[in-house]
Amino acid sequence: MSLTSQVPLGEGVPPNTRNAVSVSFPTWDDNIGYEKGDPRVLNRMKNGYPRFFIARSIQALAAYFERRLALPSESVMLFPSLLAAEQCVVFIRDQVQKQQQQHKQGSSTTFYRIPGPGQVRIVQHVVEPSDRKAASQDAMSRVPQAHVTIYCVLFPENLFSLAKQYWQHTGNGISPRLAEYCMRIENANDECEQETGLHQGSNLGGYRRGTMSGTGLSASEQKESAGSELEVSTYVEERFGRNFDPKYAAEMKLALRRRIAGALTEGEEKDGAEVQRGVAGLSAKDVFLVATGMSAVFYAHQALLSIRRGKSICFGFPYTDTLKILEKFGPGAYFLGHGEGSDYEELERILERHELTPEDPILAIFTECPSNPLLKTADLPRLQELAIRFKVALVVDETIGNFVNIDALSYADIVVSSLTKVFSGDSNVMGGSLVLNPNSRFYAPVRLAVDATAEDLIWCEDAIFLERNSRDFVRRVNEINCNALAVAELLQASPKVANVWYPKFTTPSNYDKIKRSTDDTGYGGLISVTFVSGERGSRAFYDSLLCCKGPSLGTNFTLASPYTLLAHFTELEWAAQYGVDANLVRISVGLEPREDLLAMFQTSLKAVPDN
């Protein structure tokens, strides 16, 4: 793999990739423009990270349903299950009430009216071919279901921001590939009805103005473009990408669960070998697939809340939506954002205080190993000891460390991960997983709760891509480990660099406690860096990088981002309290030749002013 030169602003990353997960922000100012809503940036965005930017295919399907189902001044959000839609409705109503209370107290300038009966509602819509001609639109994808049900949450358009929060935090919206499938069938059905004279009073002409924007193409252009792109994409993926037919989606999901349970390599899978993650009794039945990494965090929290109500403790500075889930869905959370030093003593004090009030229990400790973006690793043996002593659950997000490099499951009750990242690597599909520790004292009730709560909402075509992408997961992780170590050591040696956050340099003793002992394990592919010259240095470094630049991590290609600006633009001072610098540049190192990577970073370091 060679380095990718700068991708134009707003294009998908990786370039020329259908359903790319990231978007290109090639300059520092592009990132700021995005956060400020600058039309220069927004009008050029063809893509975006799926939980933040609603994909064009989903926008088109939502607009289609709005025309048929919505009243004037209503918007729609689309979900693949009734439970996800119901949770969205509950979230909207809860947040309206909370915002009203905050407005009365003077702590919020936002005011929403409590929606009346039926103003936030769910409409179920079944998508299925109406005749043989419409069914032929499914010929390329060969989806096994006879029909697909979409659950449309309709609400006053002024509540769109709240519905979007639920979409972003939980990651449980429909996937772009599912939207593409539905749109093909609906368009074919409409054509068939028009041809047979059954289509009466159609309002197909033009998108209604609202919060979901169209694609900028006419309906006929969309159909023609989508059909030709799909045909080419499907042929290429199946002929050269080693994709299976979607009718094998169930088998592919089983393969994924086995792969996650044992980190199997492709050769070992062919031989039927079972490679354990170091936890006796672990099997594929302890692995649950969900739509996204944030879905995994959400369902872990929801499952535990169904057993007992209580606040959680977020230990260490996490990815932004993890904390939002703990705060907004349930009784709230304590936040120990430094995740080291005196936070351990404060954690114990909180647990002791709540132990004295059984009616107000602590539910769980949530932590990331390592954390994003500061790459700190919590002392998992110490957290486990506290969790056992005080009878609370321990939930660990291992996305950045990944289970090739670290053993988090031996210490945790639940391990969650984003499969979108290095497990997939190709940055063209979303997915997440929960893994239950079969030796946990909470295993039986947690398993029942997860069975009842978590939904596998991975669309069949997405499962095919996840399976294909992850076959060489172990090999890629080992190669990325070596590349990232070389880059981290290069940055660490530069007098222009103020700080390098990398698990080998950041809380290394804690990381080494859970690092696997095999020779080919390492410290993962993520590095964060700041410069002696502050923002000037970060700008110069970032702008001069000749690699992909945009949100996400764990990609097969090197990807850089001014993480704090994108994740915490409206709360930079708050993030700075926990050491998350506004000028931090996060680098996800890829599979490119090491010599090329080092040469690129050396060139960018030369562009950084001395002070």
Side-chain angles (χ1 to χ4, degrees):
M1 173 177 284
S2 59
L3 278 165
T4 302
S5 58
Q6 291 198 21
V7 179
L9 170 64
E11 297 287 333
V13 173
N16 306 313
T17 299
R18 192 175 184 85
N19 296 308
V21 164
S22 189
V23 60
S24 181
F25 294 142
T27 71
W28 192 267
D29 284 337
D30 291 337
N31 290 273
I32 294 175
Y34 168 74
E35 289 297 331
K36 289 184 174 181
D38 186 346
R40 177 189 71 84
V41 177
L42 298 186
N43 292 343
R44 294 182 63 180
M45 287 182 65
K46 298 179 181 178
N47 204 59
Y49 193 77
R51 286 189 304 100
F52 293 85
F53 178 89
I54 297 177
R56 299 284 179 164
S57 57
I58 299 174
Q59 290 182 35
L61 185 62
Y64 180 93
F65 286 139
E66 279 185 357
R67 294 196 303 271
R68 284 153 178 75
L69 304 173
L71 299 172
S73 300
E74 280 191 335
S75 292
V76 64
M77 196 70 79
L78 308 180
F79 297 96
S81 80
L82 178 59
L83 177 59
E86 290 174 337
Q87 289 169 333
C88 180
V89 171
V90 171
F91 180 82
I92 290 173
R93 291 189 175 278
D94 285 350
Q95 291 302 305
V96 168
Q97 292 179 346
K98 289 179 180 177
Q99 291 283 359
Q100 282 198 338
Q101 292 172 359
Q102 293 171 2
H103 184 78
K104 290 177 181 178
Q105 296 166 357
S107 58
S108 173
T109 58
T110 304
F111 180 80
Y112 297 104
R113 291 187 181 278
I114 295 178
Q119 282 193 301
V120 181
R121 64 193 188 280
I122 300 169
V123 176
Q124 176 180 320
H125 183 88
V126 176
V127 178
E128 59 182 339
S130 60
D131 68 2
R132 188 171 298 175
K133 181 176 180 181
S136 70
Q137 296 299 309
D138 188 30
M140 294 306 299
S141 60
R142 297 178 295 281
V143 173
Q145 290 96 326
H147 65 270
V148 174
T149 303
I150 300 297
Y151 297 88
C152 309
V153 176
L154 294 152
F155 47 84
E157 61 185 11
N158 69 304
L159 299 180
F160 179 79
S161 63
L162 297 181
K164 179 66 161 39
Q165 286 177 36
Y166 174 83
W167 173 287
Q168 174 183 323
H169 298 332
T170 68
N172 279 339
I174 68 169
S175 86
R177 288 186 179 88
L178 173 54
E180 290 170 355
Y181 170 77
C182 292
M183 201 70 251
R184 291 196 304 273
I185 299 300
E186 293 290 2
N187 285 335
N189 285 343
D190 288 342
E191 288 180 356
C192 291
E193 289 180 359
Q194 289 174 335
E195 289 174 4
T196 57
L198 296 176
H199 197 80
Q200 301 294 327
S202 171
N203 58 348
L204 280 172
Y207 289 135
R208 178 172 63 81
R209 288 188 65 188
T211 49
M212 292 286 192
S213 64
T215 61
L217 301 176
S218 68
S220 60
E221 288 173 327
Q222 288 180 42
K223 295 173 192 175
E224 182 178 354
S225 173
S228 60
E229 286 181 20
L230 174 69
E231 186 171 352
V232 171
S233 174
T234 304
Y235 174 78
V236 170
E237 290 297 342
E238 292 190 356
R239 177 65 179 84
F240 301 106
R242 302 182 300 156
N243 269 14
F244 283 97
D245 190 306
K247 70 183 180 183
Y248 297 111
E251 291 86 344
M252 295 305 98
K253 287 187 177 183
L254 177 58
L256 286 167
R257 289 165 50 224
R258 290 184 66 241
R259 193 169 294 159
I260 293 164
L264 295 175
T265 66
E266 186 173 3
E268 287 167 336
E269 285 185 271
K270 289 176 180 176
D271 296 336
E274 293 284 348
V275 181
Q276 297 296 332
R277 284 172 52 149
V279 176
L282 179 68
S283 69
K285 69 181 178 65
D286 299 315
V287 178
F288 295 80
L289 298 178
V290 293
T292 64
M294 291 318 303
S295 300
V297 176
F298 174 74
Y299 282 131
H301 187 229
Q302 289 293 299
L304 293 171
L305 282 173
S306 72
I307 298 172
R308 70 175 184 185
R309 301 286 290 180
K311 285 186 176 181
S312 292
I313 301 171
C314 184
F315 190 83
F317 195 94
Y319 176 69
T320 178
D321 284 309
T322 296
L323 185 57
K324 297 293 191 290
I325 285 173
L326 301 183
E327 291 176 337
K328 293 183 179 181
F329 296 88
Y334 291 100
F335 178 45
L336 304 179
H338 294 286
E340 59 183 333
S342 61
D343 276 2
Y344 287 98
E345 287 72 36
E346 179 60 18
L347 170 62
E348 190 164 358
R349 283 192 291 270
I350 292 171
L351 292 169
E352 288 174 343
R353 188 165 66 248
H354 280 265
E355 187 180 38
L356 299 175
T357 55
E359 71 281 1
D360 183 24
I362 289 296
L363 181 69
I365 302 167
F366 283 75
T367 193
E368 296 177 351
C369 283
S371 65
N372 182 16
L374 295 182
L375 287 306
K376 293 181 182 180
T377 304
D379 186 342
L380 284 194
R382 187 171 180 180
L383 293 187
Q384 181 192 43
E385 186 276 325
L386 290 171
I388 291 173
R389 193 197 329 163
F390 292 99
K391 299 180 177 61
V392 302
L394 178 57
V395 182
V396 178
D397 188 333
E398 67 172 10
T399 299
I400 293 174
N402 76 70
F403 55 82
V404 172
N405 289 326
I406 64 171
D407 174 19
L409 190 58
S410 291
Y411 303 94
D413 299 292
I414 305 174
V415 163
V416 298
S417 186
S418 172
L419 306 182
T420 309
K421 308 306 191 296
V422 72
F423 184 80
S424 167
D426 276 348
S427 192
N428 62 2
V429 65
M430 303 282 279
S433 67
L434 297 88
V435 183
L436 309 186
N437 184 343
N439 304 309
S440 163
R441 63 213 179 282
F442 299 131
Y443 178 75
V446 167
R447 180 172 183 81
L448 287 173
V450 173
D451 272 329
T453 305
E455 293 186 290
D456 176 0
L457 300 180
I458 297 179
W459 174 237
C460 58
E461 293 173 280
D462 291 323
I464 298 301
F465 276 82
L466 266 178
E467 190 283 326
R468 191 280 307 272
N469 294 352
S470 61
R471 290 176 198 171
D472 60 351
F473 165 59
V474 175
R475 177 194 64 79
R476 288 186 289 105
V477 168
N478 295 336
E479 192 170 336
I480 286 171
N481 286 340
C482 296
N483 281 351
L485 176 60
V487 172
E489 290 177 340
L490 171 70
L491 295 171
Q492 180 86 321
S494 172
K496 297 180 178 181
V497 170
N499 294 288
V500 176
W501 290 273
Y502 178 65
K504 186 177 181 180
F505 310 145
T506 310
T507 58
S509 61
N510 291 341
Y511 188 91
D512 288 342
K513 289 177 184 178
I514 59 174
K515 183 173 179 287
R516 296 192 182 276
S517 57
T518 54
D519 293 337
D520 53 1
T521 57
Y523 299 93
L526 204 63
I527 304 165
S528 292
V529 60
T530 56
F531 297 90
V532 173
S533 50
E535 182 184 1
R536 289 171 54 243
S538 295
R539 278 177 173 271
F541 180 79
Y542 182 85
D543 289 353
S544 65
L545 285 172
L546 295 178
C547 64
C548 292
K549 288 176 272 189
S552 198
L553 58 90
T555 47
N556 292 338
F557 50 91
T558 296
L559 182 67
S561 171
Y563 174 83
T564 315
L565 291 183
L566 286 179
H568 302 286
F569 189 76
T570 61
E571 51 188 17
L572 293 176
E573 291 184 4
W574 172 82
Q577 298 176 53
Y578 302 99
V580 182
D581 195 299
N583 302 315
L584 179 146
V585 178
R586 191 186 69 182
I587 304 161
S588 181
V589 179
L591 295 169
E592 298 91 347
R594 199 164 308 145
E595 301 77 17
D596 294 350
L597 283 170
L598 294 176
M600 178 190 69
F601 284 111
Q602 285 171 335
T603 299
S604 291
L605 283 171
K606 291 178 182 177
V608 176
D610 292 329
N611 51 53

